[in-house]
Amino acid sequence: MLICLYCCNIMDFGCIVVTKTCRFILAVHHYIVGNNHLGGQDFNNQLQKYLMSEIKNLYSRELVESSDIQSLRAAVETAKLNLTLHTVTTLNITLHSFNNKVYTRKITRQEFESINKVLFDKILEPIKAILDYTELERSDVDEIVMVGGSTRIPRVRQLISEYFNKSLNTGIDADLAVVSGVAIQAGIIGGMWPLPVSAVEVQTSVQKIVLN
């Protein structure tokens, strides 16, 4: 069984190879590769830099007041979240350092994807690297589990689903998946797992792969 985990907080891609008989898991081999400059904040930064440049052109001066920049940063985060559900959103920011002028900007999902194209173009790099390292084919993957808040971004899901030609497992809470797994594993290791089921520690190996 081959399970792939895509974590979009820091764009880690994990490939878990589970060796098992018809009833019992015998060993777990975990391969991971990632890019810590492909997380949700990086998408925000690209959009924020784009809008700051636009504000400079619009008002003929740079936005430097920290409180205004913080307001823009918060609005950008909200816009990104809104664009996961809707195809268009609107920012309204009062720029106190610009005599309280209100900066209003409509942003479409397509524009967000265009502004972040350089990042979206790198989404598949960790996947390709790990499959190449493990000498596995895309067709060998049994399931793809999306982990981390930014895996809700439609373009991220589209790219990965199209690459594998497979539906993604989005049924697990993307924000809680990691912490839930850690809690379960801690319970197993500590012998305090509350359920009398086959929750046991198995032989595990982890291999970190570095992107060139």
Side-chain angles (χ1 to χ4, degrees):
M1 175 182 288
L2 178 58
I3 303 172
C4 290
L5 305 176
Y6 202 99
C7 179
C8 205
N9 282 332
I10 53 175
M11 286 300 175
D12 273 343
F13 179 69
C15 175
I16 302 178
V17 181
V18 180
T19 303
K20 68 174 187 176
T21 64
C22 60
R23 294 183 61 190
F24 301 103
I25 295 176
L26 302 179
V28 176
H29 306 285
H30 188 188
Y31 304 90
I32 55 176
V33 61
N35 184 337
N36 59 6
H37 296 293
L38 274 179
Q41 190 59 49
D42 297 287
F43 291 103
N44 289 4
N45 291 342
Q46 288 289 107
L47 179 56
Q48 181 176 323
K49 285 190 293 185
Y50 182 89
L51 294 178
M52 288 183 70
S53 176
E54 187 172 87
I55 289 172
K56 179 182 178 181
N57 293 333
L58 182 62
Y59 298 108
S60 301
R61 54 183 285 200
E62 290 188 0
L63 184 65
V64 295
E65 175 62 39
S66 59
S67 62
D68 285 343
I69 293 175
Q70 181 58 39
S71 296
L72 177 61
R73 183 178 294 116
V76 163
E77 171 67 14
T78 299
K80 182 188 69 176
L81 296 178
N82 287 341
L83 289 173
T84 64
L85 301 174
H86 311 286
T87 58
V88 63
T89 189
T90 301
L91 286 80
N92 288 289
I93 309 167
T94 300
L95 302 175
H96 299 289
S97 60
F98 285 26
N99 296 320
N100 292 323
K101 291 180 179 178
V102 178
Y103 173 67
T104 300
R105 179 66 153 80
K106 183 178 291 185
I107 301 175
T108 66
R109 182 183 292 172
Q110 183 178 12
E111 186 177 17
F112 175 80
E113 294 173 356
S114 175
I115 291 170
N116 281 289
K117 184 178 185 302
V118 66
L119 298 180
F120 286 120
D121 286 346
K122 296 179 181 179
I123 291 292
L124 297 177
E125 288 181 0
I127 298 176
K128 294 176 181 178
I130 207 167
L131 293 180
D132 182 63
Y133 182 87
T134 55
E135 298 182 347
L136 294 167
E137 300 293 332
R138 283 177 270 182
S139 58
D140 294 326
V141 175
D142 295 297
E143 188 167 9
I144 306 154
V145 181
M146 307 299 280
V147 177
S150 292
T151 59
R152 295 189 178 94
I153 296 176
R155 182 60 175 160
V156 172
R157 292 186 175 185
Q158 179 188 4
L159 286 168
I160 298 174
S161 180
E162 289 179 353
Y163 182 75
F164 285 102
N165 192 27
K166 185 184 295 289
S167 297
L168 308 176
N169 182 338
T170 57
I172 299 173
D173 189 309
D175 293 311
L176 299 179
V178 174
V179 68
S180 298
V182 170
I184 292 171
Q185 186 68 7
I188 294 171
I189 294 174
M192 300 179 66
W193 183 248
L195 300 178
V197 296
S198 56
V200 297
E201 184 73 0
V202 298
Q203 179 183 349
T204 303
S205 66
V206 179
Q207 175 67 49
K208 179 70 174 181
I209 303 167
V210 179
L211 283 173
N212 295 326

